[in-house]
Amino acid sequence: MKPFTYARPSEASEAVAALAADPDARFLAGGTNLLDHLKLGVVEPSQLVDVNRVTSTAIEDLPDGGLRIGAGVPNSDLAADPRVRERYPAVAAAILAGASGQLRNMASTGGNLLQRTRCVYFADPTTPCTKRDLSQGCSAREGWARYHAILGTAADGCIATHPSDLAVALVAVDAQVQVLGPDGARTIPIGELHRLPGDDPTRDTVLAHGDLITAVDLPAPTPAVRNSTYRKVRDRASYAFALVSAAVALEVRDGTVADVRIALGGVAHKPWRATVAEAALRGRPATDDEFRAAIAAELDAAEPVRSPLGGNTFKLPLVTGTVVSTLRGLAGGTA
Amino acid sequence: MTTMDARSMGTSVRRIEGPDKVTGTATYAGDSVADGTLVLHPVQAGVARGEITAIDTAAAQALPGVVAVLTHRDAPTLGDTGDPEHRVLQGTTIHHRGQYVAAVLAEHAEVAAEAARLVVVTVDENPSTTGFDPDAQAYTPSALANGQPPDSGVGDPDAALAAAPVVVRASYATPMEHHNPMEPHTTTATWVDGRIEVFEATQGVESSRQTLATLFDAEVVVHASHVGGGFGSKGLHAGTVLAVLAARTVPGRPVRFALGRRQMFETVGYRPATVQHMALGASRDGRLEVVTHDVVGATARYKEFVEPAGGSTRSMYAAPHRRTSHRAVPLDLDGPTYMRGPGEAPGSFGLECAMDELAVALDLDPIDLRVRNEPEVHPENGLPFSSRGLVECLHAGAERFGWSSWDRTPRRRLVDGWWHGVGVGCGTFPTLRFPGSAAEITFTGGRYVVAIGAADIGQGARTVLTQIAADALGVDVGSITVEIGSTQVPVGSIAGGSAGTASWGSTVVEAADRFRDKYGENPDDGDHADAATPDNPWAGEYAMAAYCAQFAEVAVHADTGEIRVPRLLGMFGVGRILNPTLGRSQLQGGMVWGLSMALHEESVVDPRFGEVINHDFAGYHVASNADVRVVEAEWIDEDDPYINPMGAKGIGEIGIVGVSAAIANAAYHATGVRVRSLPITCDDFLTSGLL
């Protein structure tokens, strides 16, 4: 691998300044994704700036009944926190649906949101990839596209999916991301953190070089969020990325959908908030037929990939089945 | 003819090296690190076919810490083993992506890797074909990988198919799969004064020694105390040759080459893809009139290996008219090789799924169908069977599994949102004995030292040979010390073909008999005897094979198509089980792999790049713990006096055979969806229109 230097600042501002001064520097947190990429030659940073000393590992109560999760909180601690488990069950379930115990011990909250796609072409520097290099085309469109996007894709562009389970659940609960950048601190709604590929698929998020996630805030849980879960469908029972996942929150009153949140993983370049389906369901009876019609409306815009190595048209019925099953379960039926 | 008496055999003697393994003190090939060991990092071809026109090593050589850079320009001419894979750095022709075209030796792994990246290889690329197309131009190979002829036939199968009252025709596909033992292939080699010493992850120290001696015309010593799994992939591959070539340039200094996981997908073999065209014709009462099994499989253009997928169809069921055939489609990939149950594992998917479809067509219990077609003698060569436990396995397994409690009609049981069903698949694997081993028994210090160059690749050879030697000598296992895993003890055949225990064990028994004949029960210090592997006098008189019946319960989610296997039961007819704990572990391991083959494993070649594109454990799925629920391995009592003195059939491979068919058949029973291509995934059900 290409030689690099390593720095371990003791102040967040130092870490941000170090990156701002070096366009090829990278933050290092848990390293569960970045170290693989270093070994594979997917990224070749000049400098690693270790942020483990400068990010909080605390989960604090917020005055409004919400929680502030330090960016350095390990995934395993976040999933195990009783407040998270009780108030935001989808968040805890999403974390436990991902990776392994060992990886969750290492992986940080901030790093989880910034992990890169597991597209096999992105992870192989010998194959063209427009996400690694804008001057190249997308290999997945005519390749092994089983895990790739069906929503929010651009014509001929990147069809990578975002791999984080946690991010999908955070989108469903409307988390806020605290960021420290070269120009100071700001707050980004989680739904606006990740990007669609558009004309620059090299950028997964709206963060600029040097922006450091310092915390993730969870707003006070609504009744729907307290009745939330995360359903992940994959090719084996554990230790695999999602073909399709859904973080779903549901409040039913008198058989009618009072509130619903649906965020999808494995279908787009970002966690996909199914706003069309949510709008279609609010005020409607909590029945399979209504659930099915709502998700069908969401999928009107889907553009699955047909590829000689196996496309992903099956994701249309898979999204439908996953969401319907999960809503039914939250409404008290068989999931 | 009787099998020998057993005292230790048949008991669960604990794995001898178990404490070393769980405490991390067992040394594998990469652990034998002396001071000054250099690390090798290869430079590999980036195209599937072409000619090297230039290699620029200047930047690599200039990197501090780099000791040597090897290319074809400075490599010696190697001896000819007849295996094209062994011709490492022998020219400019690229036969497959990932082929070694240069190598860097450095003081540290990171430096070696960076230097390898700096080597610039210029290639004139030639057109290549790496995607398997079963309809492409295929040829008839001269022989299958097991040495059997490609085709076989009895009677007039086409006419019989035209006349049969009930006919099932279907095609089944199995993908390319990679072995992926836990320990990647590793070589630590030192070259001193024309003598090569190698610590090697190998299934056979003697075969490795012979290969290296031929290639390098030198004295060779090979050690393999512990090997972290092989499954057919740990023959001698190009990486070992490369490591020894490198060691030759730095006399006296050890060179270590441990493959990375991605290199495991391009340099150490795989199970090639097959498409199997099956046709079964039967009378209305379920008697087979005809069986045909026509296989089209992938092979490598530069190194032929034809998976004998139709092989077991030659012996499984009686039918007066029969045909098997194998055709090969050459690809510009690295060479396929033996992989657990070579032939039988993919071939049983075709045959046993077709039998299930025939049972459905006949409205017959699939167990009854198989029982009705049990042959009296081997249906092709007419030999009697030394023992054949298939029918007993079917009955005993059905009883234990609760088979009769299930309604045979598909799509009847929906429990908590999951469709449940059951299926059965059968299998066989030949019982072999390899010639060429030698065993030496020496009485010293009150102990019997039994030396034979066997390989313990995790199957428990060290332990089971101790038990065999104890019983053959009539002493306790505590009096036996077994020395294996080196060419510094008498030669041993490979751990392969499910024949290791039979071959080494027969040899140890022969040596023990001679020892007792010479010295009786009270030998003196230094007494010793040796023996070579005896021929089996019954070879050619009987057909010898292990059999199994595999039962699966499958659940398919009614909304998402997710498929799970809550229960597997394998019932085996494998002669005497020498060590129930180790034997059950090995059979269960095979069954887990069968589950993994059924639901997960598929190497996806992207022909634009000539490589397996899902070349790591994120992309290439093997069953995880959560996929493996209840897996039971049981066996019938079977006394076979014709196979070897121990009465033991090999169990390394039979565990995987038939499992994928049992699961596919259970999935059909659960859902009504017939999946004829592995692996079986949620999309098979989602796109069926039946969920």
Side-chain angles (χ1 to χ4, degrees):
Chain A
M1 71 184 69
K2 191 179 163 191
F4 57 85
T5 59
Y6 170 81
R8 190 161 53 159
S10 51
E11 297 292 339
S13 56
E14 283 179 60
V16 170
L19 248 71
D22 181 350
D24 294 323
R26 297 269 180 151
F27 290 132
L28 171 70
T32 57
N33 192 209
L34 181 61
L35 264 60
D36 283 348
H37 286 167
L38 288 173
K39 293 175 190 168
L40 295 171
V42 172
V43 292
E44 296 182 331
S46 57
Q47 181 182 187
L48 293 186
V49 178
D50 188 329
V51 295
N52 285 295
R53 284 188 182 173
V54 305
T55 48
S56 166
T57 57
I59 303 173
E60 301 167 69
D61 286 297
L62 292 173
D64 68 348
L67 291 175
R68 170 160 293 175
I69 304 157
V73 172
N75 288 178
S76 45
D77 289 4
L78 181 57
D81 189 283
R83 295 164 292 181
V84 174
R85 293 161 62 98
E86 186 201 331
R87 300 178 211 170
Y88 312 92
V91 173
I95 295 167
L96 294 176
S100 64
Q102 294 91 330
L103 286 166
R104 294 195 293 267
N105 285 341
M106 287 300 293
S108 69
T109 301
N112 186 308
L113 303 183
L114 300 182
Q115 59 181 307
R116 310 300 307 274
T117 182
R118 286 341 192 259
C119 172
V120 292
Y121 300 96
F122 175 76
D124 185 339
T126 72
T127 60
C129 171
T130 186
K131 179 178 271 301
R132 278 197 324 269
D133 182 345
L134 265 186
S135 71
Q136 299 177 346
C138 171
S139 294
R141 282 189 170 271
E142 295 292 316
W144 193 48
R146 179 172 180 76
Y147 286 86
H148 289 72
I150 57 171
L151 286 164
T153 57
D156 300 327
C158 176
I159 53 170
T161 53
H162 197 269
S164 170
D165 295 298
L166 173 61
V168 177
L170 293 180
V171 165
V173 306
D174 288 326
Q176 303 279 317
V177 181
Q178 304 294 341
V179 175
L180 180 66
D183 299 326
R186 65 189 195 279
T187 302
I188 303 173
I190 181 81
E192 295 168 22
L193 176 69
H194 297 96
R195 298 176 66 254
L196 290 176
D199 57 5
D200 188 0
T202 64
R203 294 179 62 212
D204 294 350
T205 69
V206 298
L207 298 181
H209 186 71
D211 279 345
L212 176 67
I213 295 177
T214 55
V216 174
D217 292 351
L218 306 184
T222 62
V225 166
R226 287 180 180 273
N227 182 43
S228 67
T229 191
Y230 187 74
R231 176 78 160 93
K232 184 176 182 182
V233 177
R234 40 190 158 174
D235 275 335
R236 59 182 166 189
S238 74
Y239 207 50
F241 290 91
L243 291 167
V244 164
S245 68
V248 181
L250 180 67
E251 183 191 2
V252 178
R253 270 187 245 142
D254 303 326
T256 298
V257 175
D259 187 16
V260 63
R261 321 274 189 89
I262 303 169
L264 300 173
V267 297
H269 196 258
K270 58 184 281 185
W272 187 268
R273 184 75 181 259
T275 50
V276 174
E278 290 179 8
L281 275 175
R282 281 199 193 89
R284 304 291 302 175
T287 64
D288 265 28
D289 286 346
E290 293 286 341
F291 298 155
R292 203 170 294 279
I295 197 64
E298 186 74 43
L299 291 174
D300 271 351
E303 293 186 72
V305 182
R306 290 173 179 80
S307 142
L309 290 186
N312 59 16
T313 54
F314 72 92
K315 284 195 176 182
L316 298 177
L318 184 54
V319 169
T320 303
T322 304
V323 174
V324 170
S325 164
T326 309
L327 283 166
R328 189 195 304 132
L330 290 172
T334 299
Chain B
M1 187 75 195
T2 55
T3 48
M4 58 192 273
D5 289 340
R7 276 205 316 151
S8 177
M9 291 191 298
T11 68
S12 289
V13 171
R14 292 174 68 172
R15 188 185 290 268
I16 289 170
E17 72 281 7
D20 290 346
K21 284 183 172 170
V22 299
T23 55
T25 54
T27 52
Y28 292 78
D31 297 328
S32 312
V33 179
D35 287 347
T37 297
L38 297 171
V39 179
L40 183 150
H41 198 100
V43 180
Q44 296 176 266
V47 303
R49 213 174 173 200
E51 289 290 329
I52 299 167
T53 57
I55 299 183
D56 182 352
T57 62
Q61 274 168 322
L63 200 67
V66 170
V67 174
V69 181
L70 288 77
T71 72
H72 67 276
R73 293 188 301 250
D74 40 40
T77 300
L78 298 171
D80 185 7
T81 63
D83 184 343
E85 194 183 340
H86 294 155
R87 294 177 198 137
V88 179
L89 304 186
Q90 297 297 289
T92 55
T93 303
I94 291 169
H95 299 285
H96 66 88
R97 172 94 190 239
Q99 178 179 323
Y100 301 126
V101 296
V104 173
L105 268 183
E107 308 276 356
H108 300 288
E110 293 78 8
V111 174
E114 173 63 4
R117 203 177 62 90
L118 294 174
V119 173
V120 182
V121 182
T122 311
V123 176
D124 265 354
E125 186 173 0
N126 294 324
S128 63
T129 304
T130 53
F132 174 53
D133 173 5
D135 300 320
Q137 185 69 40
Y139 70 95
T140 305
S142 56
L144 306 177
N146 57 5
Q148 296 294 311
D151 295 352
S152 70
V154 176
D156 187 344
D158 289 329
L161 279 169
V166 181
V167 173
V168 164
R169 289 178 195 271
S171 297
Y172 302 87
T174 63
M176 180 192 209
E177 298 159 359
H178 280 79
H179 311 69
N180 281 306
M182 193 180 293
E183 176 202 31
H185 294 55
T186 302
T187 302
T188 304
T190 313
W191 189 304
V192 189
D193 300 331
R195 178 177 183 271
I196 306 164
E197 184 165 38
V198 176
F199 294 85
E200 174 77 344
T202 177
Q203 293 178 229
V205 285
E206 172 60 17
S207 66
S208 295
R209 188 201 65 77
Q210 287 179 11
T211 299
L212 292 174
T214 302
L215 288 168
F216 291 95
D217 190 22
E219 182 193 346
V220 179
V221 177
V222 180
H223 307 285
S225 293
H226 302 287
V227 181
F231 312 112
S233 76
K234 281 180 179 161
L236 194 132
H237 294 285
T240 306
V241 183
L242 189 65
V244 175
L245 278 168
R248 184 176 165 277
T249 67
V250 286
R253 292 192 75 172
V255 168
R256 181 160 62 103
F257 180 25
L259 266 58
R261 190 53 68 180
R262 286 195 169 177
Q263 289 157 340
M264 300 289 288
F265 286 87
E266 51 195 6
T267 61
V268 294
Y270 53 90
R271 193 198 300 283
T274 72
V275 168
Q276 305 169 37
H277 305 292
M278 302 294 313
L280 306 180
S283 62
R284 297 205 183 278
D285 67 349
R287 312 275 167 191
L288 282 170
E289 298 288 340
V290 52
V291 178
T292 64
H293 193 161
D294 297 308
V295 183
V296 181
T299 186
R301 193 187 308 279
Y302 94 114
K303 178 180 177 177
E304 183 181 279
F305 176 101
V306 179
E307 181 89 6
S312 52
T313 298
R314 294 172 183 174
S315 67
M316 276 301 280
Y317 301 112
H321 304 279
R322 43 203 313 129
R323 179 181 70 231
T324 66
S325 72
H326 297 78
R327 300 293 176 267
V329 176
L331 300 176
D332 299 302
L333 292 168
D334 63 313
T337 193
Y338 309 95
M339 180 163 160
R340 202 171 202 173
E344 286 79 2
S348 62
F349 178 65
L351 176 61
E352 294 299 306
C353 287
M355 286 293 280
D356 200 68
E357 297 207 47
L358 180 62
V360 171
L362 291 163
D363 192 20
L364 192 63
D365 187 307
I367 292 177
D368 291 342
L369 175 64
R370 288 170 173 87
V371 172
R372 284 181 198 187
N373 292 285
E374 173 75 357
E376 297 279 321
V377 294
H378 189 291
E380 288 203 2
N381 63 27
L383 291 177
F385 293 100
S386 64
S387 61
R388 182 174 156 115
L390 180 58
V391 169
E392 193 181 342
C393 286
L394 280 164
H395 288 318
E399 172 76 22
R400 190 178 177 90
F401 192 74
W403 180 260
S404 63
S405 69
W406 291 76
D407 182 342
R408 216 166 60 238
T409 311
R411 206 179 166 78
R412 279 291 167 88
R413 204 180 282 201
L414 182 65
V415 182
D416 293 337
W418 295 78
W419 291 106
H420 284 250
V422 293
V424 64
C426 296
T428 184
F429 197 86
T431 296
L432 305 172
R433 182 190 308 185
F434 293 144
S437 293
E440 186 174 75
I441 298 177
T442 306
F443 187 72
T444 176
R447 302 178 61 76
Y448 296 85
V449 178
V450 180
I452 182 167
D456 197 327
I457 57 174
Q459 84 280 41
R462 199 176 260 106
T463 308
V464 171
L465 290 177
T466 300
Q467 295 177 264
I468 293 170
D471 286 358
L473 288 163
V475 301
D476 291 336
V477 289
S479 304
I480 305 289
T481 299
V482 164
E483 294 183 346
I484 62 171
S486 170
T487 56
Q488 292 181 317
V489 296
V491 300
S493 53
I494 62 163
S498 291
T501 299
S503 308
W504 308 318
S506 299
T507 314
V508 167
V509 170
E510 181 76 7
D513 288 349
R514 291 188 187 183
F515 189 96
R516 291 176 85 174
D517 286 347
K518 280 170 84 172
Y519 309 113
E521 308 299 318
N522 294 297
D524 295 324
D525 206 64
D527 284 349
H528 97 271
D530 52 34
T533 310
D535 292 334
N536 184 351
W538 302 103
E541 305 288 320
Y542 289 93
M544 305 177 191
Y547 291 87
C548 69
Q550 308 270 9
F551 296 80
E553 180 178 343
V554 158
V556 177
H557 196 277
D559 291 307
T560 64
E562 291 159 286
I563 176 169
R564 301 284 186 261
V565 180
R567 203 155 57 104
L568 279 181
L569 166 67
M571 188 61 74
F572 296 91
V574 289
R576 177 188 271 158
I577 289 283
L578 296 175
N579 183 316
T581 297
L582 295 181
R584 182 168 280 113
S585 171
Q586 203 171 14
L587 292 167
Q588 285 175 323
M591 293 169 69
V592 167
W593 200 333
L595 185 162
S596 193
M597 175 182 176
L599 303 188
H600 305 304
E601 298 194 35
E602 179 179 20
S603 304
V604 180
V605 173
D606 190 325
R608 296 169 300 172
F609 310 113
E611 67 172 350
V612 175
I613 197 65
N614 56 334
H615 46 178
D616 56 33
F617 280 157
Y620 185 94
H621 285 178
V622 299
S624 68
N625 284 347
D627 294 291
V628 181
R629 308 289 182 83
V630 176
V631 177
E632 281 187 280
E634 297 295 336
W635 44 84
I636 59 172
D637 283 331
E638 186 173 84
D639 179 28
D640 190 329
Y642 303 109
I643 46 178
N644 52 55
M646 299 80 70
K649 296 177 178 176
I651 57 170
E653 322 201 45
I654 188 73
I656 191 175
V657 183
V659 177
S660 60
I663 289 172
N665 296 339
Y668 168 77
H669 184 237
T671 63
V673 179
R674 178 67 70 178
V675 183
R676 300 188 182 89
S677 176
L678 296 179
I680 303 167
T681 50
C682 64
D683 33 325
D684 291 316
F685 304 100
L686 288 167
T687 58
S688 68
L690 271 178
L691 276 190

